[in-house]
Amino acid sequence: MTIELLTPAEMALADSLAIAAGPFDGGGLMRNAGTAVAAEILARFPGMQRVHVLAGPGNNGGDGFVIAQRLRDAGLQVGLHCDTPPPEDSDAGRARTACALPLAPLDACRPDRADLVVDALFGAGLARAVTGPAAEAIERANASGAVIVAVDLPSGVSGHSGRPLGTAIRADLTVTFFRLKPGHLLEPGRSLCGETVLADIGIPVKVLDEIEPRAFRNDPGLWAGCFPWPGRDAHKYTRGHVGVFSGGPSATGAARLSALAAARAGAGAVTVLSPA
């Protein structure tokens, strides 16, 4: 299990370092990301036939164009919705050019007529509230009853804090790449992600040496070496003596719970000081 957490800025640096090291360029990483999401959808939801893909103007939308084409190639009925196509000379723009599906505006999306909605509007780097047609599309998707798969992070959720920025997608599945971001684990982002899958898209682990992450998910590997394991010659008083002061005869519950917790946590001796 990977324990490093990357901020959105650190994730962008990981992408840049991976592109500089090769063999993938930005378009290659985007194709890998979109292919990974499409593979998860096809494996987990084999009965789905009608899919709507909501694509944004940036790299998250570029992933969405790749996903739409992969799902179309697999025989699904795919509707592709995007209000602001990315510049043609960008990685996302080239992904759009390679996608043979026609574009429809976001306000034409009717997710209640779809089996599954792919949210590729905004990724973890979003720093402003979602408004306008994108917010309306998110609200319709949330209310539709369709399965929702988010790309990277549910649109409208901060990758830094997990807090909603205006309206936010409530996903059933979120597929992210290389490393989790804080927003995947901090509430309410964690709940809005649904199940989170971490996909390998070819970014080498060695980029972490230069990034030097400072945030980690809790894991015994971080602290087991500092844990005070008892020695073979230990006795109860070298393992700690806990004194618990109780309230009056009608208020002993907290003391009982605290004493039991101390004993189960490994204290060598526990003394309850209480009324008769």
Side-chain angles (χ1 to χ4, degrees):
M1 180 178 64
T2 59
I3 62 172
E4 302 90 356
L5 299 178
L6 297 184
T7 66
E10 289 171 337
M11 186 63 218
L13 178 57
D15 286 338
S16 298
L17 293 171
I19 291 168
F24 304 111
D25 59 8
L29 290 178
M30 187 170 289
R31 287 190 294 274
N32 289 351
T35 300
V37 177
E40 286 290 338
I41 291 172
L42 293 171
R44 290 168 176 266
F45 310 108
M48 300 296 178
Q49 291 297 320
R50 298 168 298 173
V51 177
H52 288 183
V53 178
L54 308 179
N59 285 344
N60 202 249
D63 295 341
F65 297 133
V66 176
I67 295 164
Q69 187 63 55
R70 297 289 186 271
L71 296 180
R72 177 66 176 273
D73 292 344
L76 278 65
Q77 302 171 31
V78 181
L80 181 56
H81 300 268
C82 179
D83 276 357
T84 309
E88 292 183 1
D89 60 349
S90 66
D91 290 328
R94 285 184 281 272
R96 167 65 193 118
T97 300
C99 179
L101 281 77
L103 283 184
L106 290 176
D107 61 12
C109 178
R110 294 294 177 266
D112 56 323
R113 301 175 186 173
D115 301 314
L116 185 145
V117 174
V118 176
D119 162 34
L121 287 169
F122 307 106
L126 184 69
R128 58 178 176 80
V130 180
T131 58
E136 294 168 2
I138 287 172
E139 291 172 354
R140 290 197 301 274
N142 286 341
S144 68
V147 172
I148 300 179
V149 177
V151 180
D152 189 27
L153 194 70
S155 291
V157 173
S158 166
H160 283 282
S161 67
R163 295 175 180 170
L165 300 170
T167 302
I169 279 283
R170 293 194 302 273
D172 298 285
L173 174 69
T174 297
V175 182
T176 192
F177 316 111
F178 185 56
R179 291 297 184 273
L180 298 181
K181 292 79 189 173
H184 289 115
L185 298 181
L186 298 173
E187 290 290 358
R190 182 168 186 166
S191 294
L192 291 171
C193 285
E195 181 184 356
T196 300
V197 171
L198 186 62
D200 179 4
I201 60 171
I203 298 176
V205 175
K206 64 183 180 182
V207 303
L208 296 174
D209 295 337
E210 186 165 343
I211 296 171
E212 297 182 343
R214 295 185 295 171
F216 304 87
R217 62 193 303 173
N218 188 22
D219 183 82
L222 294 173
W223 44 260
C226 302
F227 198 79
W229 301 102
R232 290 175 178 167
D233 60 345
H235 55 81
K236 63 183 178 182
Y237 291 112
T238 63
R239 296 186 60 167
H241 183 186
V242 176
V244 181
F245 288 83
S246 174
S250 63
T252 65
R256 295 169 187 268
L257 291 172
S258 299
L260 285 169
R264 289 176 178 174
V270 181
T271 301
V272 177
L273 301 112
S274 67

